[in-house]
Amino acid sequence: MQEKINNLKKEILDKLSQAKDSRFLKELEVFYLGRKGEFTKILRDIANVAPEERSAAGKFANEVKNEIQKKFNELKEKFEESSEDVKDIDVSLPGEKINIGHLHPITQIQYEIEDIFNSMGFAVLDGPELESDYYNFEAINIPPHHPARDMQDTFYIDLPNKDGENDLVMRTHTSSVQVRAMLKHGAPLKAIVTGRVFRSEALDVRHEHTFYQVEGFLIDKDINFSHLKGILELVGKKLFGPETEIRMRPKFYPFVEPGTNGEYTCNICHGKGCNLCKKTGWLEIVGAGMIHPNVLKAGGIDPNEYQGYAFGFGLNRLAQLKYNTDDVRLFNGGDLRFINQF
Ligand code: DAH
């Protein structure tokens, strides 16, 4: 045993005499004295030495180990003292500024909206971005070949789903989560869905192929249009200030009946008319309506017992209005000069 230890000691000291920098020294230290190191193995083997010799062997091994460790430490100090790096450090210089980043402006708006609805008892749900034709269209009352499909330029995906059918699409709106949520949670139900949606758009200052939406719905007994108007008015005031008013005019969306758009008084000119609102004083922001009975049925909910309202906002549009930016493509463009302004 002693011989083994002496041999290893010789080997280590030999290597140490060749060590020229702290990196090599560190490698040696790990190789010999590390947890799985050569010398450490010997120390472990001492447990197998015959009992009458064990204590002497242990003592000897520890002495040698201390001796070697001391040598390592001396060299370590020597290398540190002579290191260029250390000499060059001027501790009086101010530190380097660490850039920690911040939330994307659309995420900021998303969180703001989630907070508003959370405070009124709405759950925040999500759903898949790669969606079935069924949940994106059919379940919400847009059958195949219905002209309403032309309202949304869809990315149809040329891949079979798990049942071998070609029915996958990139979801065109977060309304796709309505029926999923009804089937999962039943009625009454109060939820919003925030997330990314996709359309095969020709890109320009107002159109992106990838953007963000928030969908909201409430299903309960005796729900009517005034509840819808009330909540949309409240959200407008929270987002754009207490003097904000809402105006609603009929608009067709297949998943609601009656359907409506929602326009808010322009937050720049406060209704007087400016470029942002195209001199009308109003900004069209939301689509909404009373959930169509066919949609409730697809969600397993009896439309004679329950009613509901639904609405959808574009988050990019909200961000664009809030920050008064002229090109919606800037938000996903990845240009830090733009993003760092928020
Ligand atoms: N899904 C519609 C869109 O993307 C927005 C929308 C309109 C959602 C009316 C609704 C609604 O829930 O009732 O254009």
Side-chain angles (χ1 to χ4, degrees), residues 80-181:
E80 265 166 25
E81 269 167 26
S82 64
S83 149
E84 291 283 304
D85 302 351
V86 174
K87 264 195 282 173
D88 285 350
I89 290 178
D90 176 353
V91 290
S92 66
L93 282 175
E96 236 173 74
K97 192 165 164 256
I98 297 171
N99 201 344
I100 53 167
H102 61 87
L103 291 176
H104 190 280
I106 293 193
T107 312
Q108 292 177 28
I109 296 238
Q110 178 184 330
Y111 287 0
E112 201 180 319
I113 297 231
E114 288 178 0
D115 282 348
I116 293 173
F117 281 99
N118 255 173
S119 74
M120 295 187 286
F122 283 70
V124 179
L125 305 178
D126 60 15
E129 293 177 347
L130 178 58
E131 183 54 284
S132 66
D133 185 287
Y134 177 74
Y135 286 117
N136 195 79
F137 293 125
E138 240 181 295
I140 53 173
N141 204 33
I142 318 177
H145 314 301
H146 191 283
R149 290 219 176 184
D150 293 345
M151 290 167 77
Q152 301 183 347
D153 301 300
T154 309
F155 288 116
Y156 289 93
I157 303 296
D158 193 13
L159 274 180
N161 65 11
K162 62 179 182 344
D163 299 322
E165 295 156 14
N166 260 36
D167 88 328
L168 295 175
V169 299
M170 296 308 291
R171 68 175 177 194
T172 55
H173 48 190
T174 40
S175 311
S176 59
V177 186
Q178 275 195 27
V179 168
R180 284 181 175 279

Side-chain angles (χ1 to χ4, degrees), residues 140 151-152 172-176 178 197 199 211 213-217 228 252-253 255-256 258-260 286-291 309-313:
I140 53 173
M151 290 167 77
Q152 301 183 347
T172 55
H173 48 190
T174 40
S175 311
S176 59
Q178 275 195 27
V197 303
R199 291 197 198 166
F211 52 103
Q213 283 190 336
V214 53
E215 174 85 12
F217 38 88
L228 171 63
F252 172 72
Y253 294 101
F255 24 89
V256 281
T260 172
V286 58
M290 301 306 293
I291 300 178
Y309 61 69
F311 54 85
F313 293 85

